[in-house]
Amino acid sequence: MAAAIALSALAMTLIVGVRYLLASGGFALATRLRHPGLYRGLGRQIRAEIGWSLASAAIYGVPAGVVAWGWANRGWTRIYADVDTFPLWYLPVSVLLYLLAHDAWFYWTHRLMHRPRWFRLAHAVHHASRPPTAWAAMSFHPLEAITGAVVIPALAFLVPIHVAALGLVLAIMTVMGVTNHMGWEVFPRWLVAGPAGAWLITASHHQRHHARYRCNYGLYFRFWDRLCGTDGGVGGFEPGTAGTKLP
């Protein structure tokens, strides 16, 4: 059993690593096409981001491998494959539950990582990306990577979710993680500046966190930042931080 779980963890590590390379690489290419020269002079930083991110992929792969093996072979998790197991209305509800739980976990662990001791010990690795690029989404110190790696696997043991809905959660997590670090706003102005943008986090919101450090700690939603008085708002991208104005 241990060997089988280890093989599953290895397989998931490869999947997470390839997913990172494809997603970040794709959005980095989009950046080159949309904003030529935006990452000029950042070659050394980008290589460090890729290195830390691939190390994080291995850390994310271990609990993901345990979940995958346990689901397929022992029925350990609450993941289900038969769409009729729960009512159809539960499919979008389960996705929202996972995103809300992940967002809450991220907000509070992220604030913890900004305490001086934890920042020096771990989170400084992520903030070494100045400015962040599309390659920085998983650029974490191993200690911080562990805090991010456990939340979705833990939810899989607690909250029922269809396997396709879980795939959607992972896709949203990947896209949001990359696009929030690109240094430009991929979403249209009407979304960012409209009612949806008042509650959803995009690059215009997260870039301000990388510029000011003491605000905008959320991942998907601005709820916790607003509730706790840490919302620093959104805006364009400041000169000197690899930014452009909103499209």
Side-chain angles (χ1 to χ4, degrees), residues 107 197-199 201 205 208 212 214-217 221-234:
Y107 177 86
W199 295 101
I201 290 173
H205 188 267
R208 184 157 289 183
R212 300 184 181 178
R214 296 295 184 182
C215 64
N216 297 9
Y217 296 104
F221 310 110
R222 295 172 63 177
F223 169 78
W224 286 106
D225 276 310
R226 288 179 176 274
L227 182 66
C228 298
T230 56
D231 195 299
V234 300

Side-chain angles (χ1 to χ4, degrees), residues 44-100:
R44 183 176 181 180
Q45 174 186 307
I46 288 172
R47 288 191 293 274
E49 289 170 348
I50 294 172
W52 285 111
S53 295
L54 291 178
S56 294
I59 293 170
Y60 274 71
V62 173
V66 173
V67 166
W69 187 88
W71 169 62
N73 296 278
R74 292 290 189 273
W76 287 345
T77 73
R78 303 299 304 277
I79 302 170
Y80 61 96
D82 185 352
V83 74
D84 294 324
T85 302
F86 288 87
L88 287 179
W89 58 260
Y90 182 70
L91 289 174
V93 168
S94 65
V95 172
L96 183 60
L97 288 174
Y98 270 62
L99 295 179
L100 288 171

Side-chain angles (χ1 to χ4, degrees), residues 2 97 116 202 206 242:
L97 288 174
T202 68
H206 193 66

Side-chain angles (χ1 to χ4, degrees), residues 5-55:
I5 294 176
L7 286 174
S8 180
L10 177 60
M12 292 305 299
T13 294
L14 293 174
I15 290 171
V16 174
V18 170
R19 183 187 69 183
Y20 159 76
L21 292 172
L22 290 177
S24 289
F27 281 108
L29 177 60
T31 300
R32 177 176 293 186
L33 296 174
R34 181 70 182 271
H35 299 288
L38 189 61
Y39 296 162
R40 185 177 295 120
L42 298 179
R44 183 176 181 180
Q45 174 186 307
I46 288 172
R47 288 191 293 274
E49 289 170 348
I50 294 172
W52 285 111
S53 295
L54 291 178

Side-chain angles (χ1 to χ4, degrees), residues 26-180:
F27 281 108
L29 177 60
T31 300
R32 177 176 293 186
L33 296 174
R34 181 70 182 271
H35 299 288
L38 189 61
Y39 296 162
R40 185 177 295 120
L42 298 179
R44 183 176 181 180
Q45 174 186 307
I46 288 172
R47 288 191 293 274
E49 289 170 348
I50 294 172
W52 285 111
S53 295
L54 291 178
S56 294
I59 293 170
Y60 274 71
V62 173
V66 173
V67 166
W69 187 88
W71 169 62
N73 296 278
R74 292 290 189 273
W76 287 345
T77 73
R78 303 299 304 277
I79 302 170
Y80 61 96
D82 185 352
V83 74
D84 294 324
T85 302
F86 288 87
L88 287 179
W89 58 260
Y90 182 70
L91 289 174
V93 168
S94 65
V95 172
L96 183 60
L97 288 174
Y98 270 62
L99 295 179
L100 288 171
H102 190 193
D103 186 69
W105 175 265
F106 183 89
Y107 177 86
W108 290 105
T109 55
H110 193 184
R111 284 197 67 172
L112 174 65
M113 286 292 163
H114 275 266
R115 299 291 295 270
R117 179 188 178 194
W118 287 102
F119 190 91
R120 290 192 302 269
L121 187 62
H123 196 50
V125 166
H126 187 66
H127 276 278
S129 295
R130 302 176 65 184
T133 76
W135 297 101
M138 291 181 64
S139 182
F140 303 125
H141 185 279
L143 287 176
E144 184 171 4
I146 291 172
T147 69
V150 299
V151 57
I152 298 298
L155 287 171
F157 286 95
L158 299 172
V159 182
I161 190 167
H162 188 270
V163 63
L166 179 58
L168 178 59
V169 169
L170 295 175
I172 293 171
M173 180 177 72
T174 301
V175 170
M176 294 290 283
V178 177
T179 58
N180 285 352

